[in-house]
Amino acid sequence: MEAAWLRRTGQLVCFYCFHGFEAAVGTRVPLVTRGRLGGKVCQHFAHPPGHAPLGGHSPETVWHITTKHTLAAWATSRPGVDRVRLEQWTPDHDRRADVEALLQDGTKVALEAQRQLMTDDGWRSRHRDYARQGIVDVWFWRPRGHFPHIVLDEGLPVWF
C-alpha cells in the first residue's frame, strides 16, 4: 500500500485513493497499521475495515507509478493536448490505459508503462483492442527489460 503524506494536515492517507485510483480524486482515507513485528504478516499500512475499494487496489511498483506520473506530466506539457488522465477505461471497459491523452483534434492516445514481459499474443490482444476503439497506443518499456518482438513486426517504435 502506497501512502501520501499531506503536509498541511499531517495526515497519512492512501496514495491511490487520493490520486483517483478506484476513488474520486482527493479522497482522503486515513491509513491504519496492520501486522506485527515477527508476525506472519509484516507491518504495513492499510485501509481501515470497510474503507477499501471493492477488490482493493492492485499493487504497483514504484517504477510503474513513477513512470505513469512522469508520462502524464510530459503529455500535459505538450501542445495540442486537451486533457490528460491517469487510469482511464476504454469505452467498452475492456482495457484501462495507464495514461490517456485527448488531443485537440479528438484523437485518444493511451500511454502504457510496461514493466513485466508480455507475450506476443498478450500484447497483440491489447494493441488490437485499442485500435478497434480508435485509440492510438504507445508503449514504454522498462529500461534493460524485455519486450514482445511483435511490436517490431507491427512497425512500431520501441521506447524505454
Side-chain angles (χ1 to χ4, degrees), residues 85-90 95-100 109-112 130:
R85 298 186 300 183
L86 292 166
E87 299 293 332
Q88 291 302 301
W89 287 100
T90 56
R95 301 285 176 211
R96 185 171 64 182
D98 290 328
V99 179
E100 178 193 80
V109 179
L111 304 177
E112 291 287 354
Y130 281 128

Side-chain angles (χ1 to χ4, degrees), residues 4-142:
W5 179 258
L6 301 179
R7 291 184 186 155
R8 289 185 183 166
T9 64
Q11 219 176 16
L12 188 63
V13 299
C14 174
F15 178 90
Y16 298 112
C17 288
F18 188 76
H19 289 284
F21 300 91
E22 292 109 13
V25 173
T27 300
R28 296 179 181 197
V29 178
L31 299 176
V32 296
T33 56
R34 297 261 195 255
R36 61 181 182 172
L37 287 174
K40 196 172 189 176
V41 176
C42 67
Q43 288 188 312
H44 63 281
F45 294 107
H47 288 96
H51 288 86
L54 186 62
H57 296 295
S58 56
E60 291 188 305
T61 65
V62 171
W63 177 86
H64 192 249
I65 200 157
T66 302
T67 301
K68 287 190 318 188
H69 284 272
T70 301
L71 290 171
W74 171 82
T76 300
S77 74
R78 308 313 311 156
V81 174
D82 253 359
R83 180 186 71 219
V84 174
R85 298 186 300 183
L86 292 166
E87 299 293 332
Q88 291 302 301
W89 287 100
T90 56
D92 67 2
H93 292 280
D94 275 353
R95 301 285 176 211
R96 185 171 64 182
D98 290 328
V99 179
E100 178 193 80
L102 178 64
L103 306 184
Q104 289 174 350
D105 68 3
T107 303
K108 280 188 180 179
V109 179
L111 304 177
E112 291 287 354
Q114 188 65 34
R115 179 178 181 263
Q116 299 295 328
L117 176 62
M118 293 178 74
T119 64
D120 285 351
D121 288 340
W123 180 84
R124 185 184 294 119
S125 174
R126 290 173 70 177
H127 176 65
R128 287 184 178 161
D129 283 348
Y130 281 128
R132 181 175 36 78
Q133 297 179 72
I135 299 169
V136 177
D137 55 320
V138 180
W139 295 78
F140 296 84
W141 308 93
R142 184 176 180 160

